[in-house]
Amino acid sequence: MKTIKNNYPYYDVEPISTLAEMLTKSVEKYPNKLALEDLNPTPIARVTYRELYDHVLMFGSAMKSLGLKERDHIAFIGENRVQWAITHLACVTFNFVAVPIDKNLEENDIVNILHVSDAKAAVFSESFRDMFIEFKHAVKALKYLIDMDLPKKQGGVHSMTEMIEEARRAVRHPQFTRTNPDDVAVIVFTSGSMDRAKGVMMSQSNLCTNLMDMRRMIRLGPDDRFLSVLPMHHTYEGTCGFLCPLYAGASVHYARSLKTVLEDMQRARPTIFLGVPLMYDKMYRRIMAAIEEKKIAKTLLPSLKAVAGWLETLGAESIRKKIFAEIHETFGGAIRLFIAGGAAPDPHVMKGMRSFGFKILQGYGLTETSPILTVNREFTFKDEAAGLPLPSVEIRIANPDAKGHGEIIARGPSIMLGYYKNEAATREVLKDGWFFTGDLGYFDEDGFLHIHGRKKNVIVARNGENVYPEELEDKVNKIPFVLESVVFGAKNEKNDEEIHVMIVPNAEAFIAYAQKHHVEVTTELIEQMLNDEIRKLNAELLGHQQIKKVIVREKEFEKTTTQKIKRYLIQQEDSMH
């Protein structure tokens, strides 16, 4: 599905060069408006813009009083919450270097990042207290431990709230520290393991450019409410779901957990929701399952959609929201935009969500690009495309083939400074001012970027043709009996590369099939049905795309915090079959 509106201008935004300037401008405009709210009980659960500004000033001042010097590195870890936001803002506005850490990493990986990042202090939520006390001696540079939940200083662990209150009494005329927008402001590690950890260095100029570009592309304002679910250490949520709302005067509401998202939507009534494709897949399945239960509603559905489409041609833009009001209420009743990132969403799901009156847009980017490179717009979009380049970003296709397909490269003021203490890795991806993304894609005739997948995942067939695993996975995942899949290349007995697929069965679909056909769900039944479905799919695929082997996996794939499957583990697992 696509809509292309010509002469669709960029939105006007107020320029910013630092995050201190951004926060100052927002507090001047919206001092008493709600900025951030925890839906879990926490020591600082709700702040207006004025309160947020004051907390950031006090906590930054308190860290200076503790003995931390400008340019010291401060690590922080915890669930999404107001105090995480305060910590991040205090770091960048007081000329420290922020090092946000993924809370789902193993202890050993967290310690490794603390060591590699040269962190002088660590701010953490209560669940990490014992770990930090135990491992502090192993990280020689680490001098200060600060607990978000501890009410008073205990042993060698400082209380964040106590530090803020003491600074409020002791510090007179606090002010943000002067910073250089081009200096390193944030280091985000793309992995925690010792052999894979790369610290992406971003400046405030990188982040501010990306923030301004995003707001020029997508309309945001003080009436918007964001429900925050994705981990804040990740730049997709950290930039788009945390800093961008504050820049626009919107409010952010931190969900209690992934399991409570629908309940939290009822409470926060978000207008904008940032998710990853897996979340939207589940939402769409939930909608369709609910319709399936209501036989009459299912019968009427095509007619209702047709009527909605006809009325839209007459100018009734919001008619679908009214016709499918019950579905909208499931998600709080106020959703204006669903935004998908982190991976490519299924165009079928996007079209399906639109048919119920939801506007859903996808974007594309990487941590190294602060993070957004392209995004679809509200009135100019293609569901199968990654979007249009941001105003400050230049994107090219390197070494294109005859079809114009090749590696996506980008340059502009939002491209990272490099990898922390890793010049070799930096040289591999930054060449003559261009960042080589490692993603393969092409531009269409309307200027939209399309992505095939990762360069390193490409399977070269015997006839020399490229096979893009992600594209085949999209087709496999449309099979109702498939929950998720990974397509990969493997050598056969003749040492030729052939295509295999590892599938996690959809238990609900198999149970429903068994009940309908009065059969028992067995391993043999699952394997037989999945192989039959792949044979049907192969009949639609080109010769070099044929899937030669199906491997059934009982457990879901291990994923990153943005729900991307850790593909590098699949080859190891396949070698054991």
Side-chain angles (χ1 to χ4, degrees):
M1 187 174 183
K2 69 178 182 180
T3 293
I4 299 177
K5 182 178 179 181
N6 295 322
N7 302 317
Y8 181 16
Y10 293 132
Y11 295 105
D12 291 329
V13 297
E14 197 166 1
I16 53 170
S17 58
T18 67
L19 295 178
E21 183 182 6
M22 178 201 80
L23 186 58
T24 301
K25 287 182 175 180
S26 290
V27 77
E28 287 172 353
K29 290 181 183 176
Y30 317 106
N32 299 316
K33 185 185 176 298
L34 178 66
L36 305 171
E37 179 186 35
D38 292 335
L39 300 184
N40 274 317
T42 57
I44 305 175
R46 183 182 171 93
V47 289
T48 63
Y49 274 88
R50 168 57 67 188
E51 290 166 339
L52 174 63
Y53 182 88
D54 289 345
H55 281 314
V56 170
L57 266 178
M58 292 305 142
F59 190 47
S61 300
M63 287 193 288
K64 283 178 64 177
S65 299
L66 201 61
L68 287 163
K69 304 290 190 292
E70 288 185 33
R71 311 311 298 151
D72 279 347
H73 295 191
I74 299 175
F76 46 102
I77 187 170
E79 62 281 356
N80 289 11
R81 62 196 292 183
V82 174
Q83 285 162 282
W84 194 104
I86 291 169
T87 302
H88 187 288
L89 291 169
C91 287
V92 294
T93 55
F94 278 80
N95 207 24
F96 302 125
V97 177
V99 185
I101 299 178
D102 181 353
K103 68 180 178 63
N104 291 322
L105 289 176
E106 299 292 334
E107 283 189 4
N108 195 52
D109 292 336
I110 294 171
V111 173
N112 180 52
I113 288 177
L114 290 170
H115 169 71
V116 173
S117 68
D118 299 312
K120 289 281 182 68
V123 185
F124 48 85
S125 57
E126 187 174 23
S127 58
F128 293 95
R129 185 189 306 155
D130 292 342
M131 186 203 76
F132 273 96
I133 291 172
E134 181 181 351
F135 287 109
K136 183 184 177 186
H137 69 279
V139 185
K140 292 183 179 179
L142 191 60
K143 293 184 177 181
Y144 307 102
L145 301 182
I146 303 170
D147 192 316
M148 296 181 189
D149 296 291
L150 202 63
K152 298 283 184 183
K153 182 180 178 182
Q154 186 175 305
V157 182
H158 297 270
S159 158
M160 179 177 179
T161 52
E162 186 178 45
M163 287 173 65
I164 289 172
E165 289 309 312
E166 286 179 353
R168 187 166 280 120
R169 290 191 294 268
V171 179
R172 292 186 178 181
H173 311 298
Q175 58 184 0
F176 295 135
T177 305
R178 182 184 294 274
T179 59
N180 181 343
D182 296 320
D183 283 346
V184 179
V186 182
I187 302 175
V188 176
F189 282 82
T190 57
S191 172
S193 56
M194 295 187 74
D195 59 332
R196 298 173 64 86
K198 286 190 290 189
V200 177
M201 298 186 293
M202 287 172 281
S203 67
Q204 293 199 59
S205 182
N206 291 153
L207 294 168
C208 288
T209 299
N210 213 243
L211 289 170
M212 289 186 288
D213 274 0
M214 282 189 288
R215 286 199 61 201
R216 290 176 73 188
M217 294 285 275
I218 295 177
R219 176 175 58 87
L220 300 174
D223 293 331
D224 281 312
R225 298 179 297 278
F226 286 65
L227 182 68
S228 177
V229 177
L230 300 176
M232 291 175 73
H233 82 276
H234 196 280
T235 48
Y236 172 36
E237 181 68 22
T239 305
C240 308
F242 160 47
L243 296 176
C244 209
L246 293 181
Y247 180 27
S251 60
V252 184
H253 308 260
Y254 296 112
R256 290 170 292 168
S257 72
L258 278 172
K259 293 180 180 178
T260 63
V261 168
L262 289 180
E263 292 176 21
D264 293 340
M265 279 183 160
Q266 298 298 318
R267 180 172 165 185
R269 299 189 74 249
T271 61
I272 296 179
F273 181 85
L274 272 64
V276 292
L278 185 63
M279 291 180 179
Y280 295 116
D281 291 349
K282 289 181 177 179
M283 285 180 185
Y284 187 60
R285 284 181 182 175
R286 180 185 285 267
I287 291 170
M288 297 311 294
I291 290 171
E292 188 75 32
E293 288 179 10
K294 297 180 180 180
K295 303 297 182 185
I296 297 176
K298 183 184 178 184
T299 304
L300 292 173
L301 187 60
S303 299
L304 289 171
K305 288 184 178 181
V307 169
W310 176 71
L311 289 171
E312 281 178 334
T313 63
L314 299 178
E317 289 186 7
S318 60
I319 193 65
R320 290 181 191 266
K321 282 189 176 183
K322 294 175 182 176
I323 291 176
F324 302 109
E326 186 177 346
I327 294 173
H328 281 257
E329 284 300 324
T330 305
F331 303 107
I335 289 289
R336 184 169 70 77
L337 283 178
F338 279 129
I339 298 176
D346 183 349
H348 171 73
V349 170
M350 296 185 74
K351 183 179 179 181
M353 294 292 281
R354 285 187 192 284
S355 71
F356 293 114
F358 293 105
K359 289 183 179 178
I360 181 166
L361 305 174
Q362 70 161 307
Y364 161 70
L366 303 92
T367 302
E368 289 89 340
T369 57
S370 304
I372 306 301
L373 286 174
T374 66
V375 70
N376 282 274
R377 304 188 69 192
E378 198 170 345
F379 303 109
T380 299
F381 63 85
K382 291 186 180 182
D383 286 339
E384 71 279 8
L388 298 164
L390 297 189
S392 301
V393 172
E394 185 180 355
I395 299 177
R396 290 183 183 173
I397 304 300
N399 304 314
D401 61 18
K403 297 178 182 178
H405 300 194
E407 183 173 359
I408 300 164
I409 64 174
R411 70 178 176 185
S414 58
I415 303 300
M416 69 166 183
L417 302 176
Y419 295 117
Y420 185 59
K421 296 197 301 187
N422 195 338
E423 291 184 9
T426 301
R427 284 195 299 270
E428 284 181 15
V429 296
L430 285 178
K431 303 170 187 177
D432 298 322
W434 290 92
F435 172 67
F436 284 68
T437 67
D439 289 322
L440 297 172
Y442 66 96
F443 280 105
D444 66 21
E445 66 280 2
D446 296 311
F448 283 79
L449 182 67
H450 296 252
I451 298 170
H452 290 306
R454 294 294 288 170
K455 186 178 179 180
K456 64 184 179 182
N457 297 338
V458 170
I459 303 165
V460 181
R462 189 178 180 184
N463 65 353
E465 291 277 1
N466 287 343
V467 177
Y468 304 104
E470 294 89 345
E471 292 184 352
L472 283 183
E473 287 160 10
D474 287 343
K475 297 178 184 296
V476 173
N477 291 341
K478 285 187 174 70
I479 298 170
F481 298 104
V482 174
L483 183 66
E484 56 187 6
S485 67
V486 170
V487 170
F488 58 96
K491 297 290 185 181
N492 61 18
E493 294 174 357
K494 297 179 181 179
N495 207 36
D496 290 329
E497 192 90 348
E498 64 181 23
I499 300 169
H500 293 183
V501 63
M502 193 174 288
I503 294 175
V504 178
N506 185 334
E508 288 184 17
F510 274 104
I511 291 169
Y513 176 88
Q515 290 173 343
K516 183 177 180 180
H517 296 278
H518 307 290
V519 295
E520 186 179 346
V521 179
T522 62
T523 301
E524 292 75 18
L525 176 72
I526 292 171
E527 290 180 352
Q528 179 189 329
M529 290 184 65
L530 289 176
N531 274 282
D532 287 346
E533 292 290 340
I534 294 300
R535 273 192 288 274
K536 293 177 190 174
L537 177 60
N538 277 337
E540 304 171 9
L541 298 174
L542 298 173
H544 66 279
Q545 296 177 313
Q546 297 291 301
I547 297 171
K548 299 296 185 181
K549 184 177 179 181
V550 177
I551 302 162
V552 179
R553 192 180 196 274
E554 291 183 4
K555 295 182 179 179
E556 290 188 29
F557 296 108
E558 189 173 339
K559 300 180 183 71
T560 66
T561 48
T562 52
Q563 300 301 297
K564 286 183 182 176
I565 293 170
K566 294 182 178 179
R567 304 183 75 97
Y568 65 89
L569 298 175
I570 304 305
Q571 295 283 14
Q572 301 170 18
E573 188 174 331
D574 181 55
S575 65
M576 297 185 288
H577 281 83

